[in-house]
Amino acid sequence: MSRRQTYAAAFVDALLDSMDEDRTVSLIGSAPLGLGPERHLTNQLRDRHPNRVMDPPTAEGGVASVGAGAAMAGVRPFVDLLTGSFVYLAWTQIVNEAANGFYMSGGKLPVPVTYHCLEGVRGAGAPQHSQSPHAMLWNAPGIEIVMPAMASDVYGLIRTAIQSPNPTMVFSHAKILGVESAVSDERAPLPFGKADIKRKGRDVTIVALSIGVHHALEAAELLAQQGIDAEVVDPRTLVPFDEEAVLASVEKTGRLVVVDEMPLRCSSASEIAATVAEKGFQHLKAPVQRVTRPDVPVPFSPPLEQALTPDAEQIVCAVRRITAEA
Amino acid sequence: MTTDPRAMRWEFLEKMLLIRRFEEAVGRFGADKDFPGHYHLYIGQEATGVGAMAALGEKDRIASTHRNHGHVLARGADPMAALAEILGRDAGLNRGRGGTIHLCDPDLGFLQTSGVVGSVVGLATGGGYACKMLGDGTLTAAFFGDGALEEGIAFECLNIAALWKLPVIFICENNSADAWGMAKGGYPTLVHASNDLRSIPGSMGIEAIRVEGIDPFAVYDAVSTAAARCRAGEGPLFIETMTRRWAGSAPLWPELATGITDIGMATGRTAIGDGPHRDWYETNDPVLRLARELAAEGAEALARVEQIDRQVRDIIETAAQRALASPFPAVETAADYVFAN
C-alpha cells in the first residue's frame, strides 16, 4: 500500500515514532519546520510528549553544545538550529566538539546527537538567510550528513539519524517541506550510505541532492522529450557517501552532471566530480558538469535570486552540453 | 571515600600529593621533550579538584578543560594510562588521540574534555540536560578557568541551565591572582569588565559563591551543599574557587619554577629560605599547607605524611617508567574511531 504525504508530515512522523520508541529522545527547538504553513504539524510532538519538546533561547551555539553534551551523557537529543545560515553560530560546537568526541576519546565516547536545519535559497532570504552549509560540513570528519529529498526518504533517514551512535546533521531544504510524494505504509529506518536511483536512464547520470533531486527529475522529463534518457541518482547521505552507486551509474551512462545548490568552489558537486574523475575516469565519455550557484551571495531581488539558483532548465543545458554529439 | 572528616584529611593529602607528583613527572617529560606540544599543569589547584570530586556521586558526570590532569586523577583514573596519553601512547586513556589537553575517562563519568575554554560550560549544561531527562538524581559538574567566561558560549549555556533548572555545578577555578600578565610575556590576567565573576551567573539568577580554592574542605563543603540542592531540583549553582597562580605556570610551556616539592617544607625538616617563592611554600601551596597541618599533630602524623609521600612517589615513578616504555599506537590505526558502529 502507498499513499501521498508531504515532506513535513513525514518529518514529524519520524520524530513522533522516535520519541515513542525511546524515552531519551527529545526535541530542542521551537519550530523545526520553520514559521510557514507546516509549522502547526509539530504541535503533535508537543501534545504527545510535552516534557520532551524544549523551547530554547535564541542561542544556536548554546543548543548545539547542550545537544552534544547531553548525547555524551547518554541521551539522544534532536536539536533544531533553525535556518542553515545560523549553523555558523553553532559551528565550533558541531565540528570541533560533537564531531571530534568519539575520535578524541579513543573510541570511548559516542555522541548520538542529531542536528537539523532548514537550508538553501528559500525565496527572499537575501544573503543572510539563504545559506547552505552542507558542503563545508563535509570537510569536517566525524559527522554524518543527511540530505533527504522526499517524504519517503526523510522518514527513514531521520529514524536512522536519531538511532545512530554518531553526531548527524540533517539538512532539509526550506522549499521542499510542502512537497508531496508517495510513501509506503510500512516504513522503517533507512540505511545511511545507500544511494537511491530516483529515475533509471542510460544516456547521462545526474547526481543531485535534496531540492536538486526535484529539479533533476523535472529536467529528466524535459530531456526525455528530446530523446535523452537521464538517470537520477540521489546519494541521500553525503557521509557516508555511496561512491559505488555513483560510479556504477557513470559506468553505465558515461556522462555525469552533478547538481548542488551551493556556490561552485568546494561544493558537494566539486567533491563528487573529483571522486568520479579519480575513480571512474575510464568510464567518462565527456567532461563532468557541475550545476551550482555561482560564487556570489544570494541576492534579495527575486529575478536576481532566480537567475543564480540552479533549476531544471540549467540542468537540461548542462546535459545538452555533453550530449550534443550523442 | 570516607565521610569521617579526620580520615578524609588523609585521603585528601594522598590524592593531592598524587596529583602533585604526577604533574612534576609531566613537567620533567615536558622539559626532556618526551612529548611535543604545549601543556598545562594543575599545580596549585589540587585542593579544588580533590575536594570537589570527593563531594560527587559515582554516577555524576564531569566536564573538564585543558587543565584536566588533576580532575581525572582526583576522580580515580589510572596514572599510568593518563601519563601514557600525555606521551601519545597506545596505552593512554584515549589511545593517544587526545593528548594532554583532552584526557578523558568516560568510564568515570567524564564527558568530552574540550580545549576550547567556553565549550566546557556548554557541554556540562548538556550533561545536566541528560541527567534531568534520565531523572536518576545525577548531576554534572563543570570545571573551567576564569577565561571560559570570556567566551559567548558560556553566557548562552548559563542562561539555558538557569531557564531549564538543570542540575549542573559550575566550578570556576579562578587562578588569575598572581598571574604574570601580558606585560611580563604571560597571558592576560583577568580580562573581564566585571571584577567579580559571580555577577555573571548572578545576572541570570544562578546563585554564585566564592571559596578558598587551596582549602580542600572549603571546596568539599561548598560542592556537597551545591550537589544536594541540585539533586533536589533547585537548578544550577556556581562556585568560584580562588587560587594563586603557581609561579611555574608559564604560558604554554610550564617550568618547575618552585622545584620538585620538598615535603620537608611541611614537616619542618627543610628550612624555607628567603627566596622569591617564599609565599608559595609558606602559604599558597595547597599540598604543603595540608601536609603541614597534618604533620603538626605529632610525631606519628609526621611520619605518616612522609610515608604517604614515599608511596605516592613510588606509584608515579613506576607509572612514568611504564608509560615511557609503552608503545605508540600502530600507524595503521590512525583512522580508527572516526565513527562509532
Side-chain angles (χ1 to χ4, degrees):
Chain A
M1 280 289 290
S2 81
R3 60 202 163 94
R4 293 182 71 76
Q5 195 179 30
T6 63
Y7 182 101
F11 176 101
V12 171
D13 281 354
L15 280 179
L16 273 176
D17 288 353
S18 297
M19 290 171 90
D20 288 351
E21 185 182 282
D22 180 348
R23 70 176 193 88
T24 73
V25 175
S26 61
L27 167 64
I28 300 178
S30 301
L33 294 173
L35 305 178
E38 291 80 20
R39 182 180 188 174
H40 71 278
L41 292 171
T42 55
N43 290 342
Q44 297 171 71
L45 301 168
R46 290 173 189 276
D47 293 346
R48 204 183 306 179
H49 299 290
N51 298 324
R52 287 196 264 144
V53 178
M54 306 299 288
D55 293 308
T58 308
E60 293 81 357
V63 294
S65 190
V66 166
M72 290 169 191
V75 299
R76 293 178 181 271
F78 185 96
V79 180
D80 184 60
L81 298 168
L82 307 162
T83 292
S85 306
F86 304 161
V87 171
Y88 304 134
L89 287 157
W91 204 248
T92 284
Q93 302 305 322
I94 298 168
V95 308
N96 212 14
E97 303 295 346
N100 279 334
F102 191 67
Y103 190 82
M104 203 161 76
S105 64
K108 290 184 176 177
L109 192 67
V111 190
V113 61
T114 306
Y115 297 111
H116 173 258
C117 68
L118 295 179
E119 70 161 11
V121 181
R122 71 185 193 185
Q128 287 197 321
H129 289 78
S130 303
Q131 303 241 17
S132 300
H134 58 261
M136 290 184 202
L137 199 62
W138 204 0
N139 205 243
I143 184 152
E144 296 166 332
I145 302 175
V146 182
M147 308 276 301
M150 307 270 181
S152 54
D153 302 314
V154 69
Y155 177 86
L157 292 172
I158 285 186
R159 294 296 309 276
T160 303
I162 291 172
Q163 289 172 3
S164 165
N166 299 302
T168 305
M169 172 69 100
V170 179
F171 290 95
S172 294
H173 196 287
K175 273 186 154 172
I176 60 176
L177 299 180
V179 175
E180 273 194 356
S181 56
V183 292
S184 162
D185 283 338
E186 284 151 26
R187 294 182 295 185
L190 280 172
F192 285 178
K194 293 282 175 211
D196 185 40
I197 310 297
K198 289 283 194 287
R199 184 186 193 279
K200 281 196 183 300
R202 57 175 193 279
D203 296 330
V204 59
T205 298
I206 306 174
V207 175
L209 302 164
S210 182
I211 195 169
V213 174
H214 297 270
H215 297 322
L217 289 171
E218 190 187 333
E221 293 308 311
L222 296 170
L223 289 163
Q225 293 163 18
Q226 301 169 32
I228 296 171
D229 188 20
E231 176 147 301
V232 177
V233 178
D234 175 7
R236 296 202 287 206
T237 59
L238 288 178
V239 179
F241 184 72
D242 191 351
E243 278 185 13
E244 213 174 294
V246 171
L247 289 168
S249 178
V250 173
E251 183 174 4
K252 181 171 71 173
T253 65
R255 291 180 170 81
L256 176 64
V257 173
V258 196
V259 184
D260 183 21
E261 196 193 84
M262 294 245 1
L264 177 73
R265 303 294 176 193
C266 299
S267 62
S268 305
S270 300
E271 175 56 29
I272 293 167
T275 301
V276 172
E278 194 170 71
K279 299 186 176 173
F281 188 74
Q282 68 277 19
H283 308 313
L284 290 169
K285 299 174 193 158
V288 176
Q289 300 294 302
R290 292 174 289 172
V291 177
T292 69
R293 279 165 48 203
D295 295 310
V296 175
V298 176
F300 170 76
S301 178
L304 296 184
E305 184 198 89
Q306 196 188 346
L308 299 190
T309 307
D311 58 14
E313 198 183 324
Q314 289 183 32
I315 297 169
V316 168
C317 290
V319 170
R320 297 292 304 181
R321 281 198 296 273
I322 53 170
T323 50
E325 76 283 17
Chain B
M1 177 62 73
T2 175
T3 49
D4 167 26
R6 294 189 66 79
M8 198 182 272
R9 294 182 309 168
W10 291 101
E11 289 186 10
F12 282 1
L13 178 68
E14 192 176 330
K15 289 218 154 163
M16 288 166 61
L17 258 174
L18 183 82
I19 296 170
R20 176 62 55 87
R21 297 306 183 196
F22 180 97
E23 295 293 56
E24 289 172 353
V26 176
R28 289 202 317 270
F29 283 156
D32 293 348
K33 309 269 187 239
D34 287 319
F35 64 94
H38 71 276
Y39 60 106
H40 306 271
L41 299 181
Y42 200 61
I43 292 176
Q45 298 172 221
E46 294 92 340
T48 294
V50 169
M53 292 299 179
L56 298 178
E58 203 182 323
K59 290 185 172 169
D60 290 335
R61 283 13 177 253
I62 295 146
S64 178
T65 179
H66 58 285
R67 201 181 298 281
N68 58 62
H69 305 172
H71 301 143
V72 291
L73 291 176
R75 185 72 173 169
D78 174 11
M80 143 63 187
L83 277 172
E85 184 62 29
I86 291 165
L87 294 169
R89 306 304 167 102
D90 195 44
L93 272 177
N94 310 111
R95 300 179 173 113
R97 268 65 174 179
T100 168
I101 307 284
H102 305 294
L103 297 188
C104 155
D105 195 340
D107 295 339
L108 298 177
F110 279 84
L111 309 177
Q112 173 149 305
T113 301
S114 179
V116 182
V117 293
S119 285
V120 181
V121 177
L123 295 173
T125 301
Y129 180 87
C131 294
K132 184 167 183 173
M133 170 156 282
L134 294 169
D136 56 2
T138 57
L139 59 83
T140 299
F143 293 86
F144 51 90
D146 40 282
L149 296 179
E150 291 162 21
E151 292 188 336
I153 191 73
F155 172 86
E156 293 187 18
C157 291
L158 287 169
N159 186 38
I160 291 171
L163 279 171
W164 295 347
K165 286 193 179 304
L166 302 179
V168 186
I169 308 177
F170 296 104
I171 300 170
C172 176
E173 301 188 61
N174 186 338
N175 62 1
S176 65
D178 291 349
W180 299 0
M182 292 288 271
K184 297 180 193 167
Y187 293 118
T189 50
L190 208 54
V191 277
H192 283 278
S194 164
N195 59 14
D196 183 343
L197 298 184
R198 291 171 295 181
S199 67
I200 296 170
S203 71
M204 294 168 225
I206 299 175
E207 191 175 319
I209 61 165
R210 180 180 278 173
V211 298
E212 184 57 76
I214 60 169
D215 177 354
F217 302 98
V219 175
Y220 173 79
D221 288 344
V223 176
S224 298
T225 304
R229 292 178 56 180
C230 266
R231 293 190 215 286
E234 286 186 38
L237 289 112
F238 185 99
I239 300 170
E240 183 183 16
T241 65
M242 308 300 287
T243 56
R244 318 298 291 187
R245 180 68 64 104
W246 167 58
S249 186
L252 306 186
W253 285 274
E255 297 159 29
L256 294 174
T258 53
I260 299 296
T261 304
D262 179 354
I263 206 73
M265 289 185 182
T267 58
R269 294 194 199 276
T270 306
I272 297 173
D274 249 347
H277 304 305
R278 188 184 179 111
D279 278 356
W280 168 259
Y281 299 130
E282 283 187 339
T283 314
N284 297 329
D285 179 342
V287 175
L288 287 177
R289 187 173 177 270
L290 178 59
R292 188 175 294 124
E293 186 189 314
L294 286 164
E297 290 179 1
E300 200 183 319
L302 189 150
R304 191 169 169 191
V305 168
E306 291 178 332
Q307 192 207 349
I308 288 174
D309 187 42
R310 276 194 302 275
Q311 279 172 1
V312 164
R313 293 174 83 137
D314 279 351
I315 290 169
I316 296 299
E317 196 46 46
T318 307
Q321 284 173 16
R322 284 179 51 213
L324 260 184
S326 71
F328 287 100
V331 292
E332 35 311 345
T333 68
D336 291 356
Y337 316 123
V338 178
F339 290 107
N341 290 317

